[in-house]
Amino acid sequence: HIIYGSGDQNFVYEQLSAIAPTLVLFNDPTELWFQGLFELSEIFELSEAESNRLAAAGETIAAACQPLQDAVGDDTVMRIQPLQGGLWVIGPGLMDNEHFLPYSLTSHLYYFCGLNAPENLVDFVGINSGAQMSQELIGDIQADHLFIDTFGGTDAYEEIIASPLWQAVPAVQKGQVYPIPNLFSGSYDMTLNAIEVVTSFVTQGSQ
């Protein structure tokens, strides 16, 4: 068995090592989630061609981010999910003050694509992956670009945009609001697809 992750892995190790020999690798949470594959490639002595494919994966992700970086520039971006009576603010995915959740699309947008979060996002969300916001606080959203998860249905979304406070949001005033489908980034292909989908919405304009 191979355990790849950060934090305390003792419990998992004890369970798996009772079944078969187990190796624990601790990843650096400030790097792309697949960077640990390079370490595995050395352990298993992969060929140069296989190692080059791993390097190319990171380069492809960086290349996918470039059009999004060009389109957004120094503007701030934020991702929310409408709820009945309010919304869920999706934070930067921090596990603590330095490390982020490697499978969070929002983390990828902020940390790998280099997009900027509103200054008050971490103040509101803290180090959590998200926090609920009441309708009364909608005017506090400071993002220049706003991604809205719509997989929860349209009723909550219609309720949010009907709020008079909605018009005070910079992204709304600039016409830079993008309803997006449910996107995950738990693998290389999923990460690449999610970044490309988000880029397509930004470059094609608000929906």
Side-chain angles (χ1 to χ4, degrees), residues 18 25 30 33 36 41 46 53 72 77 92 98 108 112-113 121 126 133 141 145-146 150 183 189 201 206:
L25 299 177
T30 62
W33 53 264
S41 70
L46 297 183
R53 280 199 296 271
V72 172
V77 303
E98 297 180 356
H108 283 72
F112 303 144
C113 291
L121 178 60
M133 174 185 284
I141 297 175
H145 296 261
L146 194 59
T150 58
L183 297 171
D189 288 336
F201 275 93
S206 179

Side-chain angles (χ1 to χ4, degrees), residues 88-128:
W88 183 258
V89 177
I90 302 174
L94 295 172
M95 293 188 295
D96 53 42
N97 290 327
E98 297 180 356
H99 300 152
F100 56 86
L101 299 172
Y103 302 119
S104 165
L105 167 63
T106 314
S107 290
H108 283 72
L109 294 179
Y110 290 143
Y111 295 98
F112 303 144
C113 291
L115 304 187
N116 298 314
E119 290 184 0
N120 67 342
L121 178 60
V122 173
D123 292 336
F124 182 78
V125 177
I127 64 171
N128 302 308

Side-chain angles (χ1 to χ4, degrees), residues 60-82:
T60 301
I61 293 291
C65 286
Q66 190 60 55
L68 186 58
Q69 293 170 336
D70 293 341
V72 172
D74 294 329
D75 285 354
T76 58
V77 303
M78 186 173 172
R79 184 176 167 212
I80 63 172
Q81 179 186 352

Side-chain angles (χ1 to χ4, degrees), residues 2 5 11 26 55 65 73 111-112 115 134 137 140 147 162-163 169 177 182 188-189 191 197 206:
I2 296 177
F11 177 72
F26 291 95
C65 286
Y111 295 98
F112 303 144
L115 304 187
S134 66
L137 296 178
D140 291 344
F147 302 111
S163 168
V169 176
V177 178
N182 192 13
Y188 167 74
D189 288 336
T191 298
V197 169
S206 179

